[in-house]
Amino acid sequence: MRTLVRAAALSGMACLLLSSSASSQTPTQGADTAAGQLLFNNACRTCHTVKEGDNRQGPNLHRIVGRKAGSLPGYGYSSAMKEAGFAWDADKLDGFMANADAVVPGNTMKPYGGLASAEDRAKIIAYLQSGAAGQ
Ligand code: HEC
């Protein structure tokens, strides 16, 4: 009997752990992720998806945070992007969204006017880092 109770308690805990890691974010971050998805749809989705293997005019951004710049095998990057020589992190993404040419001079992400709002850029990054974008 005791074992049963303990097993039930343990599986309850496992459920808790699972559900908390599935949404491993505070409510505020969750809201940012949702807002980020909207912003992404407006500013990026004409050219990008976050689906693995789904390259459009731009390369897919599945698991972009931590990915080496210009590294997807099935996509024809500019030589500027292929030779950028860094991995995307929040800082690089922020700079690139604000002014792509300042981070990767000679890139072919065009026409893209830049996203002036730091707050909007942070929300898009929150979305790109979230499970919704494959992290
Ligand atoms: C007009 C189409 C277009 C829009 C809009 C656009 N991109 Fe791009 N993006 C591209 C293209 C094309 C490339 C490839 C550039 C190159 O090879 O120089 C690219 C490359 C990138 C890369 C580098 C990916 C890699 O594999 O290294 C990132 C990151 C990126 N875009 C993020 C964004 C984000 C975030 C937005 C929205 C804020 C956005 N892009 C909006 C077309 C676009």
Side-chain angles (χ1 to χ4, degrees):
M1 185 60 197
R2 223 184 247 157
T3 332
L4 256 183
V5 169
R6 197 181 296 155
L10 275 176
S11 69
M13 261 170 62
C15 281
L16 270 180
L17 282 175
L18 276 179
S19 60
S20 70
S21 70
S23 59
S24 62
Q25 286 160 341
T26 64
T28 339
Q29 280 171 330
D32 274 0
T33 302
Q37 179 162 17
L38 270 181
L39 290 162
F40 178 88
N41 288 348
N42 289 334
C44 322
R45 214 176 145 212
T46 344
C47 307
H48 293 286
T49 75
V50 293
K51 262 181 37 204
E52 190 169 13
D54 189 6
N55 299 327
R56 303 287 170 97
Q57 182 178 336
N60 78 75
L61 300 181
H62 178 79
R63 296 193 170 189
I64 186 65
V65 180
R67 203 167 89 188
K68 191 171 172 293
S71 66
L72 287 183
Y75 181 81
Y77 292 99
S78 64
S79 42
M81 189 62 76
K82 273 191 288 202
E83 286 152 23
F86 61 76
W88 291 107
D89 59 13
D91 263 10
K92 289 284 188 195
L93 283 169
D94 185 61
F96 190 68
M97 277 190 261
N99 181 351
D101 275 318
V103 176
V104 184
N107 76 81
T108 50
M109 180 159 123
K110 305 222 159 54
Y112 175 74
L115 210 58
S117 159
E119 208 180 307
D120 287 358
R121 297 195 305 268
K123 286 177 182 164
I124 292 180
I125 293 168
Y127 167 63
L128 289 174
Q129 281 178 316
S130 74
Q135 289 294 320

